[in-house]
Amino acid sequence: MNVTQRGVVLMETLIAVLVFSVGLIGLAAVQTGALKHQADAAMRARVLLLAADFGERLRLFAGPPPVSALAPDASAAPCADDAPASDRWRCEIADLRQAARELLPGGEARVIVQGPGELRLALKWRGRDATANSPVCADASLSNHCCPADVAAGMRCFNVLLR
């Protein structure tokens, strides 16, 4: 063996280990990003299920809810099957708010009368990234992912217009 070639195999091995390590670190970063996006997608799926469920419940009633049922502090007494529509609305909206609190981290739900025969369902929840928000729009009804300007950092929003 030539004296000038001593240690070449060791250097090749060290470089191969370095390249392999960089590849593993890159793979771990991609996996972490994929898990984050999967968790965000699962949260959005929960939001869509809440919105779809409320939309279906809206179809069960002949008209829009009375303003008294939309108040954030409306009582949530148990509903009887033969309860008047105003009481049923109050209970349905209270159920929606409770489901948002249980299914979404920091979840809140609001039902807003947008116009004649139109309601806007506004859901917000705390995202995994504590510094990023959903976009802020002057008129949150224009986009279903806009948050009002007063929303705290890390919150995500979803708005849907129900007719």
Side-chain angles (χ1 to χ4, degrees):
M1 177 178 213
N2 192 348
V3 175
T4 60
Q5 297 220 351
R6 280 189 171 169
V8 171
V9 174
L10 178 61
M11 288 300 293
E12 289 174 348
T13 304
L14 288 174
I15 291 172
V17 167
L18 176 67
V19 169
F20 184 70
S21 298
V22 168
L24 284 178
I25 290 170
L27 183 63
V30 168
Q31 183 68 17
T32 302
L35 287 174
K36 178 183 177 263
H37 291 298
Q38 185 272 335
D40 288 343
M43 199 61 59
R44 289 195 184 276
R46 288 182 191 170
V47 167
L48 289 174
L49 285 173
L50 279 173
D53 181 57
F54 187 73
E56 289 301 317
R57 291 175 189 221
L58 182 63
R59 290 179 181 210
L60 294 175
F61 298 100
V67 175
S68 62
L70 300 176
D73 58 349
S75 68
C79 289
D81 290 337
D82 60 346
S86 62
D87 287 344
R88 295 287 304 162
W89 265 117
R90 187 185 71 244
C91 295
E92 294 295 340
I93 292 172
D95 287 348
L96 170 72
R97 290 179 177 140
Q98 182 64 30
R101 283 191 295 271
E102 290 174 359
L103 295 175
L104 304 172
E108 291 181 30
R110 289 187 306 161
V111 179
I112 304 155
V113 176
Q114 193 73 21
E118 293 183 342
L119 297 176
R120 182 164 53 99
L121 173 60
L123 296 165
K124 69 179 181 178
W125 68 98
R126 188 174 37 261
R128 291 181 54 123
D129 186 355
T131 58
N133 273 8
S134 292
V136 174
C137 300
D139 182 5
S141 65
L142 296 177
S143 171
N144 61 355
H145 296 292
C146 288
C147 283
D150 63 344
V151 171
M155 296 302 283
R156 300 280 187 242
C157 299
F158 180 79
N159 299 285
V160 62
L161 190 61
L162 304 168
R163 296 180 180 158

